[in-house]
């Protein structure tokens, strides 16, 4: 077996033995094997690519991957019910946004004289596509009160009921748009809020998903909100109950858990978390109130974390930035973090120390 000699000129170098490619049955493909007959200098040995192996064939790659399926079975979904398509649900959600905000999420201008025809065509498309995904979800995990078979009519009924909720969701989103425009001096218009603010997209998808969540449709609501999460940076669980005139300024890093309850006219800033106190009990906590309640006209500033299902922030309260709150506060409270010990000094005058850091 031939030996390969490599020498790297730059320092530092590690003195190691020369190496060879081992293709024996017990070795990995292209595995580097050290020998001791000749000393060779190699720099950054750990980064040396194993590029001396014979390329694997598709057949060999397939055999190895299928063997992994048998060995690591917990992340497979084989021989079971067909799951909803994430790609299809993303497309359906985009079409639902077009129905909620006609003209804002379309590639072409829609004239008012065409709105009825355009809406009917889009509704018909969404009805068919969403019904297919709802059917798959119900077949995968039907609610206990539903039959195990004959779920297609049920899926159709649920989809019709969901689409009938769109006017009511639009009423809620109108209040959210008003809250965003009135609450942000940087907003130039309501049109800018709808077309440019990621908050509007995130809360619209959450309100859509919440309707499906209330009907115990498996999988789809969470797929919808995670799609919005990836696009907007807001993690809004479909189970959260959110009142009217909701607004999150800047919105990135917002987390609202499944059992959180928010009243009307709640305003939040970036990085606010409405989270559970502890999840150590895991699945034993399912169905319990784990996330806080925020009453009407509450403002939560950037970085605030409110924890626990029994924590209630009373109406009209203001929670300051970076507050970590685990207990309830009465109405009209102002909760702020006491000033931390921040030391400001001259970088030129202070003595150099071994533990100083640089940015």
């Amino acid at each position: 077996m031939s030996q390969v000699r490599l020498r790297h000129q730059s320092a530092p170098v590690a003195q190691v033995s020369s190496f060879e490619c081992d293709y024996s049955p017990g070795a990995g493909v292209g595995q580097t094997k050290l020998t001791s007959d000749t000393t060779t200098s190699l720099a950054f040995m750990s980064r040396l690519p194993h590029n001396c192996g014979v390329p694997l064939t598709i057949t060999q790659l397939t055999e190895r991957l299928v063997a992994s399926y048998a060995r690591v079975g917990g992340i497979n979904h084989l021989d079971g019910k067909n799951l909803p398509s994430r790609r299809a649900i993303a497309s359906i959600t985009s079409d639902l946004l077009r129905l909620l905000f006609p003209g804002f999420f379309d590639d072409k201008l829609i004239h008012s004289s065409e709105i009825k025809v355009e809406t009917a065509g889009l509704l018909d498309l969404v009805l068919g596509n969403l019904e297919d995904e709802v059917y798959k979800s119900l077949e995968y995990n039907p609610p206990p009160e539903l039959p195990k078979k004959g779920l297609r009519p049920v899926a159709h009924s649920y989809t019709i009921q969901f689409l009938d909720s769109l006017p009511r969701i639009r009423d809620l989103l109108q209040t959210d748009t008003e809250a965003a425009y009135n609450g942000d001096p940087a907003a130039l218009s309501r049109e800018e809020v709808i077309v440019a603010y990621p908050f509007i997209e995130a809360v619209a998808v959450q309100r859509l998903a919440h309707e499906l969540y209330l009907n115990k449709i498996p999988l789809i609501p969470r797929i919808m909100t995670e799609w919005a999460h990836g696009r907007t940076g807001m993690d809004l669980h479909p189970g959260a109950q959110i009142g009217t005139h909701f607004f999150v300024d800047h919105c990135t890093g917002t987390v609202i858990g499944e059992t959180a309850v928010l009243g009307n006219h709640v305003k939040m800033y970036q990085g606010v978390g409405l989270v559970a106190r502890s999840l150590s009990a895991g699945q034993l906590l399912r169905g319990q109130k784990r996330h806080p309640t925020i009453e009407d006209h509450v403002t939560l500033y950037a970085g605030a974390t409110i924890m626990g299902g029994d924590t209630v922030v009373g109406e009209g309260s203001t929670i300051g930035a970076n507050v970590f709150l685990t207990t309830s506060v009465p109405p009209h409270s102002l909760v702020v973090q006491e000033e931390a010990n921040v030391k400001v000094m001259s970088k030129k005058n202070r003595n150099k120390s071994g533990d100083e850091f640089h940015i």
Side-chain angles (χ1 to χ4, degrees):
M1 189 171 295
S2 61
Q3 295 181 347
V4 181
R5 299 176 184 270
L6 294 178
R7 182 175 296 276
H8 197 289
Q9 299 300 324
S10 57
V13 297
Q15 297 295 323
V16 299
S17 298
S18 63
F19 64 91
E20 58 188 17
C21 296
D22 186 353
Y23 301 106
S24 60
V29 175
Q31 179 174 327
T32 301
K33 186 176 181 180
L34 296 179
T35 61
S36 58
D37 61 335
T38 305
T39 299
T40 305
S41 297
L42 290 178
F44 311 109
M45 178 69 178
S46 62
R47 296 186 183 180
L48 187 68
H50 295 171
N51 56 2
C52 51
V54 177
L56 290 169
T57 66
I58 290 296
T59 300
Q60 291 172 314
L61 291 171
T62 301
E63 289 175 350
R64 293 183 179 207
L65 192 54
V66 171
S68 158
Y69 296 157
R71 186 175 68 255
V72 190
I75 54 175
N76 303 338
H77 184 75
L78 304 173
D79 303 322
K81 303 297 184 181
N82 193 14
L83 294 176
S85 164
R86 293 178 59 183
R87 183 176 300 178
I89 291 169
S91 177
I92 291 166
T93 305
S94 295
D95 288 338
L96 287 168
L97 290 173
R98 293 170 59 198
L99 289 170
L100 292 175
F101 301 100
F104 281 98
F105 290 85
D106 291 278
D107 295 329
K108 64 176 183 178
L109 179 66
I110 300 178
H111 195 272
S112 57
S113 62
E114 304 170 335
I115 189 65
K116 188 172 183 179
V117 173
E118 291 284 343
T119 301
L122 189 53
L123 271 172
D124 186 59
L125 176 66
V126 171
L127 172 60
N129 291 339
L130 182 57
E131 181 183 319
D132 288 342
E133 303 307 315
V134 171
Y135 172 70
K136 287 188 250 182
S137 297
L138 293 176
E139 191 179 36
Y140 162 74
N141 186 19
E145 65 272 16
L146 294 182
K148 301 296 182 183
K149 296 183 179 181
L151 292 171
R152 174 60 72 170
V154 178
H156 180 78
S157 176
Y158 275 160
T159 307
I160 290 291
Q161 180 182 344
F162 168 74
L163 293 176
D164 189 44
S165 71
L166 296 186
R168 176 166 49 81
I169 294 175
R170 275 178 48 82
D171 290 341
L172 286 171
L173 292 172
Q174 174 70 22
T175 71
D176 299 330
T177 304
E178 287 295 321
Y181 176 71
N182 293 329
D184 185 5
L188 299 178
S189 65
R190 292 165 181 81
E191 288 77 14
E192 183 189 37
V193 167
I194 296 172
V195 78
Y197 281 38
F199 156 75
I200 287 294
E201 182 174 314
V203 74
V205 173
Q206 195 278 340
R207 293 195 186 281
L208 289 166
H210 185 67
E211 291 296 320
L212 296 170
Y213 175 92
L214 292 177
N215 277 327
K216 301 179 182 178
I217 304 296
L219 302 178
I220 294 178
R222 192 65 183 269
I223 296 174
M224 291 173 66
T225 54
E226 290 301 337
W227 176 79
H229 179 196
R231 290 167 57 86
T232 66
M234 290 185 68
D235 186 358
L236 309 180
H237 195 284
Q241 302 176 44
I242 301 176
T244 68
H245 300 86
F246 180 52
F247 176 44
V248 182
D249 199 1
H250 307 297
C251 87
T252 306
T254 304
V255 177
I256 300 180
E258 179 183 24
T259 61
V261 177
L262 283 71
N264 302 324
H265 296 275
V266 172
K267 182 177 182 179
M268 295 165 51
Y269 288 82
Q270 69 273 16
V272 170
L274 306 181
V275 298
R277 181 174 286 110
S278 172
L279 296 178
S280 59
Q283 289 294 322
L284 295 176
L285 295 173
R286 179 183 295 275
Q288 297 184 28
K289 180 83 164 65
R290 307 183 303 279
H291 306 92
T293 296
I294 311 298
E295 295 185 344
D296 298 347
H297 296 280
V298 168
T299 299
L300 302 151
Y301 279 93
T305 299
I306 318 298
M307 298 180 65
D310 55 354
T311 300
V312 178
V313 177
E315 64 173 325
S317 294
T318 297
I319 308 299
N322 298 318
V323 166
F324 190 85
L325 188 64
T326 59
T327 58
S328 298
V329 298
H332 307 290
S333 295
L334 174 62
V335 183
V336 296
Q337 178 177 294
E338 291 186 354
E339 185 176 354
N341 295 322
V342 178
K343 186 177 182 180
V344 180
M345 66 187 76
S346 170
K347 293 173 65 176
K348 294 182 179 179
N349 297 332
R350 72 188 182 113
N351 294 326
K352 297 287 185 179
S353 63
D355 58 351
E356 70 171 281
F357 63 92
H358 299 273
I359 297 178

